[in-house]
Amino acid sequence: MPAASPIDSKLKELPDSPGVYQLKDKRGRVIYIGKALSLKNRVVTYFQSGARYDPRIAQLVKRIADLDWIVVPTELDALMLESSLIRQFKPHYNTMLKDDKSYPYVKITVNEPYPRVMLTRRYLNDKAKYWGPLTSVTQVRSAVRFIANLFQLRTCKLELDGKEFMQKPCLDYHLKLCCGPCANYISRAEYRKLVMSAVDFFNGHYSRVRAELAQRMQQASEERQYENAARYRDLLAAVDKSFGRTRVVGKPGEDLDVVGLARSRDKACVLIMPMRDGRLVGDRKYVLNHRLEDSAESDVLAGFIKLHYANPLNVPPEMVLPHEPQDAELLRQWLGRLRYSAEVDQDTSLGGATDGKQRKSGKRNGDKATAQAEDQAAARRVVFTLPQRGHKRELLAIAMRNAEERLHTVLLGDSGDYVVTAGQRALSEHLQLAEIPRRIEGYDIANIQGKQATGAMVVFIGGRKAPQEYRLFNIRLKDTPDDYAMLRETVSRRLRRLLTDPKWDAQLDLMMIDGGKGQLNCVRQVIEMMLSSPDYSAEQREKLEAIKLCSLAKQEETIYHYGDDSGILELKLPPTDEGLRLLVAARDEAHRYGNAQHQRLRDKAMKLGVLDTIPGLGPIKRGALLAHFGSIKRIREATAEELAEVEGIARHLAEHIRKYLDRDEELEEAKAEIKREMKIRRFRRHNDERDRDGD
């Protein structure tokens, strides 16, 4: 930054206090908003020399031309102000909901004498109730129509003040889509009760709604208000029908949000699965733009929480998260305060005005102890849970998987971006890779004593199988049981195609070989031989040098890879590690794919018969052998001298046939021995697992 820059003088004026800072470009547009416990210590980090080499910050700092800040009393106030300003200015480098302006809300105007249900795209501070943002306008319209019909709330635009009424209600009343407050067919108090039930229903408190409706039906029946009792009876039936569609996955009374997160380089997808009273009540998916591609997942998660849960009605008492968000303690306090304010507003707007006024007047009278106690109670109401086991862990896994699927769909056709899974990130960390591996290829060799040898290549892109990229290599070596030679042939043929065939030129990030140190060294030798060959250009050699190698041994799932000093490192990970799971999936898929082709070749050879596979033995001589001996079994039992007695079979051909038949018998014996060993291994593995379960 030049010495004469106006930013230098502003940096010197920064206070050592909590606050929110705004970074602006040369046109005065806000490009990033952040908060800090100390503005002086935080903002200067953007302009230190070390920050230039951080890719997260470098692209942002290049565009900074000015800055402003707002000082607030506490860091919690800074968090609240930061969330508000981000929603207002939508800075380019902050995490934002994609096309945030298009997300609709469901709104109930509880601030009106006769509230109505409606769809809106604007979230206003008008004391109305909002639910959202939701991801589909059709979904919102369906929700508005369903709730309005269920509780017979009005959806019209009439301004009803409770003093003047229409002479006749509209058609909605006759269709039983509205209870007719415009014609004073229902009292304001009764209409308010329906609105309270609708609010509880939207919040997922089905049991509470049902109990309240049952009580009102009983009360109306005892007071001989049979029309009202019939209305509540119909409402109960409709609520029960809707309640029956939800799935019980938790404990009764359990209210929480399960949050799944999937990321690509510059986008993220968050899936929220709300659970109310132990039941899943649907899911919501949101796509985020996060321009700082190397930002930590804790930053992305915190950014989403600030955006989505700024609506107090979205805040649950518990959130199940994949990671701890940045500034977790501050977020808990902020969310608790929002949740508390939502409950107070509900009391004041839906019949509890006296209590709400008493609370507010208590604060105005200086009851600081009461206010502090309320703040502490509110802060304890929101819990961040990072489950390691149990049904919450299972729910989180479902949310994470669905978030990845949604993001894959969003990125279809975008060849420059891809989903980054937890397994890819774990491998990048474990194997000390410079970048997250997008394309991972797994290799395996399938053969029995060198016969019908097949090399299998499977591909995982973005942590998912890419079957269209799978390839098979029929080994061209002689029928000798040399796994290393077969692996060298498979890898060399694949790499030559990588360098010379445009159809195979997709950048290979990580190559995983089924085996141990020997197989890993074998592949390394192939690459080094190609690097030293004069047949390839410097650009082609760069492609080879960019390929990272690892192998996975089957018995203990041990990973081998090369360190910085080119020495082989051994890595043992727990079975639950996401990186290990990804490698095991690639290994097992390569094993399955290669064995399937090997089995096809074996079946084909068996259908041909042993005489069909002997080189130099044509159909006429095969027919002569069968005619002389009568069966394949007798041909196998014949000596070379007996074979030479057949017309047309010379002495040297008879010895060649006898030699080939002997090899085939050895192969069959080897197959039988392998089958016996596999049975013994399965038996031992079964016993070991049973012993572990017993312990």
Side-chain angles (χ1 to χ4, degrees):
M1 195 65 62
S5 172
I7 292 184
D8 288 345
S9 58
K10 287 193 173 185
L11 291 176
K12 297 177 181 178
E13 299 173 3
L14 284 167
D16 187 13
S17 305
V20 176
Y21 57 91
Q22 304 175 24
L23 305 180
K24 302 180 179 181
D25 61 10
K26 59 183 179 181
R27 296 184 180 180
R29 295 176 300 189
V30 178
I31 58 176
Y32 186 76
I33 294 176
K35 61 165 182 55
L37 180 61
S38 171
L39 287 169
K40 181 177 182 180
N41 296 337
R42 179 70 182 95
V43 176
V44 295
T45 60
Y46 289 98
F47 306 97
Q48 294 174 350
S49 58
R52 298 287 187 178
Y53 302 102
D54 186 345
R56 287 188 56 211
I57 307 302
Q59 55 179 314
L60 172 63
V61 174
K62 290 178 182 178
R63 298 185 57 183
I64 299 176
D66 195 6
L67 66 93
D68 284 324
W69 62 86
I70 302 173
V71 177
V72 294
T74 66
E75 192 177 9
L76 180 58
D77 294 320
L79 176 65
M80 299 173 67
L81 180 59
E82 178 197 27
S83 175
S84 176
L85 292 177
I86 288 175
R87 295 176 65 87
Q88 177 182 349
F89 290 103
K90 297 179 173 58
H92 181 77
Y93 286 102
N94 281 97
T95 298
M96 293 296 301
L97 289 173
K98 186 181 178 184
D99 300 329
D100 181 59
K101 62 181 182 298
S102 67
Y103 282 113
Y105 294 82
V106 176
K107 178 179 180 180
I108 297 183
T109 58
V110 295
N111 53 330
E112 297 178 355
Y114 290 91
R116 54 199 170 102
V117 187
M118 58 186 295
L119 179 153
T120 183
R121 296 180 183 274
R122 300 181 62 191
Y123 183 86
L124 305 174
N125 188 19
D126 55 1
K127 296 185 178 180
K129 298 296 180 184
Y130 292 85
W131 288 268
L134 302 174
T135 54
S136 168
V137 176
T138 303
Q139 180 185 5
V140 174
R141 289 200 174 112
S142 297
V144 169
R145 189 161 51 247
F146 174 76
I147 294 297
N149 296 351
L150 178 63
F151 295 98
Q152 297 188 8
L153 302 182
R154 70 187 189 100
T155 58
C156 61
K157 298 181 180 179
L158 290 177
E159 295 184 2
L160 301 180
D161 56 6
K163 299 178 181 178
E164 297 182 0
F165 299 96
M166 308 289 290
Q167 291 184 353
K168 295 181 179 180
C170 65
L171 184 62
D172 283 351
Y173 173 79
H174 298 287
L175 295 176
K176 296 185 178 181
L177 302 179
C178 177
C179 55
C182 59
N184 201 22
Y185 282 9
I186 184 173
S187 68
R188 182 173 177 180
E190 287 295 323
Y191 189 81
R192 280 277 169 178
K193 291 179 180 178
L194 294 177
V195 173
M196 290 175 64
S197 296
V199 170
D200 282 340
F201 192 89
F202 256 125
N203 289 333
H205 302 306
Y206 301 124
S207 299
R208 186 189 306 173
V209 173
R210 194 189 187 291
E212 181 68 22
L213 290 176
Q215 180 182 355
R216 293 178 194 171
M217 181 183 68
Q218 183 66 25
Q219 182 179 354
S221 178
E222 292 174 355
E223 296 175 358
R224 298 185 179 182
Q225 299 177 1
Y226 298 118
E227 290 185 359
N228 287 340
R231 179 188 298 121
Y232 290 132
R233 178 202 62 199
D234 296 340
L235 277 176
L236 267 175
V239 168
D240 287 341
K241 185 177 179 181
S242 175
F243 188 57
R245 295 180 186 140
T246 59
R247 178 186 172 197
V248 179
V249 294
K251 300 175 182 178
E254 195 171 38
D255 292 350
L256 53 87
D257 278 3
V258 184
V259 182
L261 173 65
R263 291 186 58 188
S264 68
R265 292 193 303 173
D266 57 8
K267 288 184 178 66
C269 178
V270 178
L271 181 135
I272 297 179
M273 294 168 45
M275 188 164 69
R276 300 294 180 263
D277 198 17
R279 292 175 175 264
L280 279 179
V281 293
D283 60 59
R284 302 172 184 173
K285 304 180 184 71
Y286 302 93
V287 179
L288 308 176
N289 288 326
H290 58 102
R291 277 85 178 187
L292 301 179
E293 62 184 56
D294 296 320
S295 56
E297 292 194 1
S298 58
D299 295 340
V300 178
L301 193 58
F304 173 78
I305 290 174
K306 295 173 190 175
L307 289 171
H308 179 72
Y309 291 101
N311 180 359
L313 289 177
N314 288 340
V315 182
E318 181 181 358
M319 297 172 63
V320 178
L321 305 174
H323 310 283
E324 180 118 322
Q326 188 184 39
D327 301 321
E329 186 57 36
L330 275 177
L331 286 174
R332 289 190 190 98
Q333 295 179 25
W334 175 60
L335 293 172
R337 184 177 292 185
L338 287 177
R339 183 171 171 80
Y340 178 77
S341 66
E343 293 178 357
V344 172
D345 290 342
Q346 182 165 338
D347 287 342
T348 58
S349 61
L350 296 177
T354 303
D355 294 338
K357 288 179 180 178
Q358 286 177 354
R359 287 195 188 101
K360 292 181 180 180
S361 64
K363 289 187 179 182
R364 285 196 299 267
N365 292 334
D367 192 353
K368 295 183 180 180
T370 303
Q372 185 177 3
E374 289 175 346
D375 286 342
Q376 291 175 353
R380 287 195 296 269
R381 294 187 186 189
V382 179
V383 178
F384 290 165
T385 302
L386 311 178
Q388 302 301 317
R389 61 183 64 86
H391 74 283
K392 292 182 182 179
R393 177 66 183 179
E394 295 174 0
L395 286 172
L396 181 60
I398 293 173
M400 296 289 286
R401 185 163 60 251
N402 281 274
E404 290 180 5
E405 292 294 332
R406 170 62 176 165
L407 190 55
H408 277 293
T409 304
V410 170
L411 298 178
L412 285 177
D414 188 355
S415 59
D417 201 359
Y418 54 90
V419 175
V420 178
T421 64
Q424 291 171 272
R425 291 187 178 278
L427 283 181
S428 176
E429 179 180 348
H430 296 324
L431 304 181
Q432 303 172 7
L433 305 180
E435 296 182 356
I436 293 175
R438 179 187 184 188
R439 182 185 178 98
I440 301 174
E441 294 184 0
Y443 291 84
D444 185 35
I445 303 296
N447 74 99
I448 295 181
Q449 294 294 311
K451 298 291 185 179
Q452 292 88 37
T454 302
M457 179 190 91
V458 298
V459 181
F460 280 56
I461 298 178
R464 304 176 74 193
K465 299 176 185 177
Q468 70 277 8
E469 299 285 333
Y470 289 8
R471 295 293 184 270
L472 290 168
F473 300 86
N474 291 326
I475 303 300
R476 299 168 182 168
L477 292 172
K478 294 182 179 180
D479 296 335
T480 55
D482 188 345
D483 286 350
Y484 290 162
M486 295 176 184
L487 182 59
R488 278 194 294 269
E489 178 185 334
T490 300
V491 173
S492 60
R493 286 167 59 185
R494 191 275 177 267
L495 294 180
R496 281 198 298 269
R497 299 291 290 272
L498 170 69
L499 301 180
T500 59
D501 191 341
K503 296 180 181 180
W504 291 55
D505 66 349
Q507 179 58 46
L508 171 56
D509 300 313
L510 179 63
M511 184 180 285
M512 190 279 300
I513 298 92
D514 179 19
K517 296 181 180 179
Q519 284 80 1
L520 185 63
N521 276 326
C522 178
V523 175
R524 178 68 175 268
Q525 291 170 7
V526 173
I527 294 178
E528 289 178 349
M529 181 180 64
M530 296 181 71
L531 286 173
S532 61
S533 173
D535 299 334
Y536 301 110
S537 64
E539 182 180 354
Q540 290 173 323
R541 292 192 183 95
E542 287 181 3
K543 277 190 174 183
L544 292 175
E545 291 173 348
I547 300 173
K548 305 302 179 184
L549 304 176
C550 74
S551 65
L552 182 63
K554 291 181 181 178
Q555 292 183 351
E556 298 182 0
E557 307 292 17
T558 304
I559 301 173
Y560 298 98
H561 67 102
Y562 289 99
D564 295 336
D565 58 352
S566 297
I568 295 181
L569 302 179
E570 182 178 312
L571 185 62
K572 291 185 178 181
L573 300 173
T576 56
D577 185 84
E578 295 293 341
L580 178 60
R581 286 182 174 180
L582 181 55
L583 288 184
V584 169
R587 191 269 313 281
D588 292 346
E589 181 69 1
H591 193 67
R592 179 201 64 80
Y593 191 55
N595 280 350
Q597 173 66 2
H598 175 66
Q599 184 64 47
R600 286 192 291 267
L601 294 177
R602 270 185 11 195
D603 293 344
K604 182 179 179 181
M606 291 176 66
K607 289 178 182 179
L608 287 174
V610 64
L611 295 182
D612 296 314
T613 60
I614 299 177
L617 190 64
I620 296 177
K621 293 180 180 179
R622 286 200 300 269
L625 285 170
L626 286 171
H628 182 83
F629 291 100
S631 67
I632 294 293
K633 181 180 179 182
R634 290 182 178 179
I635 295 175
R636 286 182 178 276
E637 295 173 351
T639 63
E641 290 78 9
E642 291 173 341
L643 293 172
E645 293 176 0
V646 179
E647 185 179 357
I649 304 297
R651 177 70 183 182
H652 69 279
L653 180 56
E655 292 177 351
H656 173 69
I657 295 172
R658 184 66 264 170
K659 182 179 179 180
Y660 198 90
L661 292 174
D662 291 340
R663 288 180 57 189
D664 188 68
E665 290 175 359
E666 293 175 0
L667 178 61
E668 292 299 327
E669 292 177 0
K671 291 180 182 178
E673 182 63 26
I674 290 174
K675 288 182 179 179
R676 284 194 295 269
E677 291 180 359
M678 291 177 66
K679 288 182 180 179
I680 293 172
R681 288 180 183 177
R682 283 197 296 268
F683 179 75
R684 289 175 177 172
R685 190 182 305 117
H686 175 72
N687 287 341
D688 292 342
E689 291 176 354
R690 187 174 58 187
D691 293 341
R692 284 197 296 269
D693 294 339
D695 295 338

